[in-house]
Amino acid sequence: MRPPTSGDVWLGLARDTLPVERAMEWAVRPDCGAVVLFSGTARDHAPDRPDVRQLEYEAYEEQVVPRLQTVAAEARTRWPAIGRVVLLHRIGVVPIGSSAVVVVVSAPHRPEAFEAARFCIDAVKSSVPIWKHEVWDGGDAWGDDTQVLVPAHDVRQTT
């Protein structure tokens, strides 16, 4: 997975390891003094499941990048000063400890970078058709945080 050669938005869906460090480096711009990185990693537990050993993500692949574009556009509407935006998600089996989703936002100042990055991860989780399957000793199930998808512009800022 490679960054774009032009523009300020890098979006993607990958079956392999996400380029966390490369995404962070790509987001740096000379006019932006803040870069916020969020990496959502596969963890070994979930509510009432202390022994999760595998996570697998599936997606409605044709809709992922268009929905990620909508999230990035909405972030720019809410925080016009932001510089670069990276929204990457992994599908397939994601080993425990590996990144499943990466969000990076650069901005001239830290408040906008933090706020926009928080919005982006919340909007990706709420508006992009990607689902998580958990496997643990004794069972498996789709993640209990599955929800109805909403348009990115309807995602409210959380605190």
Side-chain angles (χ1 to χ4, degrees), residues 24 26 29 31 38 43-47 50 53 59 61 65 75 87 101 110 118-119 123 129 142 145 151 155-156 159:
M24 177 77 173
W26 180 83
R29 285 189 355 182
D31 62 330
F38 173 81
R43 64 180 182 254
D44 65 358
H45 65 279
R53 57 183 155 86
E61 294 184 41
V65 171
L87 304 173
V101 60
R110 67 180 174 271
R118 176 67 185 255
F119 165 79
W142 289 95
D145 59 350
V155 174
R156 298 291 169 239
T159 55

Side-chain angles (χ1 to χ4, degrees), residues 70-71 73-75 77-78 119 123 127 150-157:
T70 301
V71 170
E74 182 64 23
T77 297
R78 294 181 186 202
F119 165 79
S127 67
V150 299
H153 68 271
D154 286 344
V155 174
R156 298 291 169 239
Q157 192 71 19

